[in-house]
Amino acid sequence: MKVLLITDGIPPETLGGAGRIVLETAMGMHKRGHEVTLVTTAKETGEEVRDGVRIVRLPQRGKRWMHYLSVFSQKRAQEILQIIDEVRPDVIHGHVLAWQCGYRWIYGARGRGIPCLVTAHDVSHIAYGKVVGDETALWFRDARRFRWSWNPVRNIMIRRALSKCHKVLCVSDALKKLMAKYGVRHLETLHNGIDLTQWKNTMSQEEARMQLSIPTDACVFLLAGRLGPDKGTLLLKETLPKDAHILVAGDGELDTFTAWGDRLHVYTRQSGEKMKILYCASDVALVPSLCFDCFPTVNLEAMACERAVIATTRGGSKESVVDGTTGWILDPLDTTGWRDRMAWCVAHRGELLAYGKRGRERVEQKFGLAIYLASLEQHYAAAIKKHH
């Protein structure tokens, strides 16, 4: 079948988990015999063919008026519809859309009789920024946070556009429940999958640490992704054991970590290959999010690389990490609990390998790319059948 994927950004322009998932989905679908085109945005426009996938880059827009442009911009809709008319896909699969690609093209695709699905990787379809998940007046919070850029009809128009899709696939049950709370329909959970031939140990822990010039005998934690208080940086400031080291792979404020001195090792904008080295070098991956973290890719990648994970109860981590088996799920407000668990990891470093082994087994059973793509093909086929 002809498949058209649409998303705001992919690597190397963006290094977030969603971008990597979309790119791996495109490559995987091509390997399974489908004709795949991927539409995204970048500072430098143009086309390329990467591993058999045609990638079309539209110009990135500034974020100043994004909450208006995402639902009102006819120009962006026409740019995407022009590609749709050229490709004439059997099915369209949207991903992250709220900042660049927008939603208006969905109506045009529907009018052309092309079925659409959208995967919700985050809360951007229902909120302007990070949420906790239990807000009672999210619209008021967004209006207060974003002030002049707040669009009073944004969420209504996004919800209306999504209602024209065959399905809205949520990356976790937790996200599905949250989106249903805000009136989004046609929801179904489809957990992301990762390429297990890529995400695996490629070197010993000692070799990785020698390459990174970090101690081979210390307990090393890994924090990857966007940095900030909502991602738990302040929590780690209070709970990191004094004799442990930490690898920080991400962008954001680093002032919080200066007190750690030479125990802190910072790596910004890491590619997938470089991230594997960091996973190999670490003992435990940390996902200390205070915000609603829908289904962190870090969990899957760390477990695939045979590393234990400590994550929080907020969001979908509990659907990938099995508490007490492949890692631990802790309340982000329980500072004592985090401190005690991280201290336990330092004292029982040798036992962490078993958690990592079980993590690899779980990813192989539940979250491999082949499993994900097979499920996605079924959704595509059902959508196409319904529209013919």
Side-chain angles (χ1 to χ4, degrees), residues 22 34 46 66 73 97 108 131 146 159 249-250 257 309 311 322 373:
V22 176
H34 304 292
M66 279 301 96
S73 177
L97 305 171
V131 302
F146 290 85
R159 189 164 61 243
F257 309 136
V309 179
V322 181
L373 293 177

Side-chain angles (χ1 to χ4, degrees), residues 23 158 228 276 278 312 370 382:
L23 191 57
I158 291 176
K276 281 194 295 184
L278 299 184
T312 71

Side-chain angles (χ1 to χ4, degrees), residues 261-285:
D262 58 5
R263 295 188 296 131
L264 171 67
H265 311 272
V266 179
Y267 308 89
T268 59
R269 298 195 63 79
Q270 298 296 292
S271 65
E273 286 300 317
K274 292 180 179 178
M275 277 302 305
K276 281 194 295 184
I277 299 175
L278 299 184
Y279 285 123
C280 290
S282 67
D283 291 294
V284 182

Side-chain angles (χ1 to χ4, degrees), residues 152-286:
V153 299
R154 171 196 185 268
N155 290 359
I156 296 172
M157 296 186 71
I158 291 176
R159 189 164 61 243
R160 186 176 300 167
L162 293 179
S163 72
K164 305 299 180 183
C165 295
H166 173 71
K167 283 281 178 64
V168 176
L169 302 173
C170 301
V171 295
S172 65
D173 289 331
L175 180 58
K176 176 184 174 183
K177 182 178 179 180
L178 183 63
M179 292 188 70
K181 175 182 175 181
Y182 289 99
V184 181
R185 298 182 294 160
H186 313 311
L187 298 168
E188 188 166 330
T189 299
L190 177 60
H191 292 119
N192 287 330
I194 61 173
D195 186 351
L196 297 178
T197 63
Q198 175 186 353
W199 293 103
K200 61 181 180 180
N201 276 340
T202 54
M203 61 180 68
S204 70
Q205 187 179 77
E206 183 177 359
E207 289 173 330
R209 293 191 179 187
M210 290 179 65
Q211 186 169 330
L212 298 173
S213 298
I214 60 176
T216 58
D217 58 347
C219 185
V220 177
F221 296 93
L222 170 65
L223 175 65
R226 185 179 60 81
L227 307 177
D230 62 319
K231 287 291 190 175
T233 55
L234 296 179
L235 172 64
L236 295 185
K237 182 180 179 181
E238 298 181 31
T239 58
L240 183 71
K242 292 183 178 180
D243 48 353
H245 286 242
I246 186 165
L247 311 179
V248 175
D251 297 321
E253 291 294 331
L254 296 174
D255 294 344
T256 305
F257 309 136
T258 54
W260 293 339
D262 58 5
R263 295 188 296 131
L264 171 67
H265 311 272
V266 179
Y267 308 89
T268 59
R269 298 195 63 79
Q270 298 296 292
S271 65
E273 286 300 317
K274 292 180 179 178
M275 277 302 305
K276 281 194 295 184
I277 299 175
L278 299 184
Y279 285 123
C280 290
S282 67
D283 291 294
V284 182
L286 303 174

Side-chain angles (χ1 to χ4, degrees), residues 16-34:
R20 293 205 299 273
I21 291 293
V22 176
L23 191 57
E24 288 185 3
T25 298
M27 305 301 183
M29 280 295 178
H30 171 71
K31 290 179 181 178
R32 295 171 77 92
H34 304 292

